[in-house]
Amino acid sequence: MILDACAAPGGKTTHIAERLNNTGVVEALDLHKHKVALIKQNADRLQLTNVTTHTLDSRKANELFKEECFDRILVDAPCSGLGVVRRKPDIKYAKNEKDLNSLQRIQLEILNRVAPLLKKGGILVYSTCTVDQIENDGTVQQFLKEHHDFEPAHLNTPEALQAFKQEDYKLQIFPQDFGGDGFFISSFRKKG
């Protein structure tokens, strides 16, 4: 049982479903109905029968799912997008410090709400497409501070990305590293 808490447009959802060889269940949530339709369309196109979609704010996931029902949870959180400025240059004009603080609050709310849905021993992955240290590391440190039932978990990465690990459970890629986008990924295990 896997939850993709912020799933649109469905690339990660369908990749996970394919990796499961069309077994198990991938529950995909998104806030916007038209984006959920994209997830469903991608799953149908790939003939994946193990994807279920829901139009739902992931901060309300506990209204749909029972505690400790997922083996893995992915939170590719809404963020400032500062890692994709190269492709979306207006971001630098549209975002300000107040936005960053607001987004970090939303990220923490999502993590706080989905954390109880993870089984003991399960893995929670938090990722963003930003390079802002406060938004990324700040969120990770605050989450771990508030959730003593979670610990950093080894982040499996391909050999080519090993040099970008900040610690065993955190990875930061900057746009200049590969001439592409910037991303942050961290991994936590629920103690049990």
Side-chain angles (χ1 to χ4, degrees), residues 13-160:
T13 300
T14 55
H15 179 71
I16 293 166
E18 286 180 319
R19 294 284 304 214
L20 291 172
N21 295 316
N22 226 7
T23 64
V25 177
V26 182
E27 300 282 356
L29 307 181
D30 200 85
L31 185 60
H32 304 287
K33 189 175 185 176
H34 69 283
K35 289 184 177 182
V36 171
L38 291 174
I39 301 167
K40 177 132 180 50
Q41 180 182 22
N42 282 324
D44 290 346
R45 178 179 52 82
L46 294 167
Q47 300 177 349
L48 297 169
T49 58
N50 59 341
V51 174
T52 305
T53 59
H54 307 275
T55 303
L56 183 72
D57 183 332
S58 54
R59 293 173 289 185
K60 297 180 180 179
N62 62 329
E63 296 174 9
L64 189 60
F65 304 109
K66 291 188 269 182
E67 286 192 9
E68 297 188 358
C69 67
F70 290 103
D71 300 292
R72 303 281 188 269
I73 296 176
L74 170 61
V75 176
D76 187 21
C79 67
S80 62
L82 296 176
V84 296
V85 167
R86 181 178 291 180
R87 286 187 294 123
K88 300 178 180 181
D90 1 336
I91 287 174
K92 60 186 169 191
Y93 303 112
K95 302 289 180 190
N96 60 47
E97 192 172 339
K98 184 179 174 187
D99 293 330
L100 297 181
N101 293 333
S102 174
L103 286 164
Q104 186 184 27
R105 265 194 317 279
I106 291 168
Q107 293 169 9
L108 282 166
E109 287 174 15
I110 293 170
L111 289 169
N112 290 339
R113 295 290 172 83
V114 301
L117 305 178
L118 189 64
K119 293 177 182 176
K120 288 178 176 59
I123 300 293
L124 170 61
V125 173
Y126 160 72
S127 63
T128 68
C129 61
T130 191
V131 295
D132 182 70
Q133 187 175 12
I134 294 171
E135 193 174 352
N136 291 330
D137 285 321
T139 301
V140 165
Q141 295 313 315
Q142 188 64 35
F143 177 77
L144 288 172
K145 181 179 173 184
E146 293 176 9
H147 294 273
H148 300 286
D149 55 334
F150 279 81
E151 62 189 359
H154 172 73
L155 185 62
N156 290 323
T157 54
E159 189 65 36

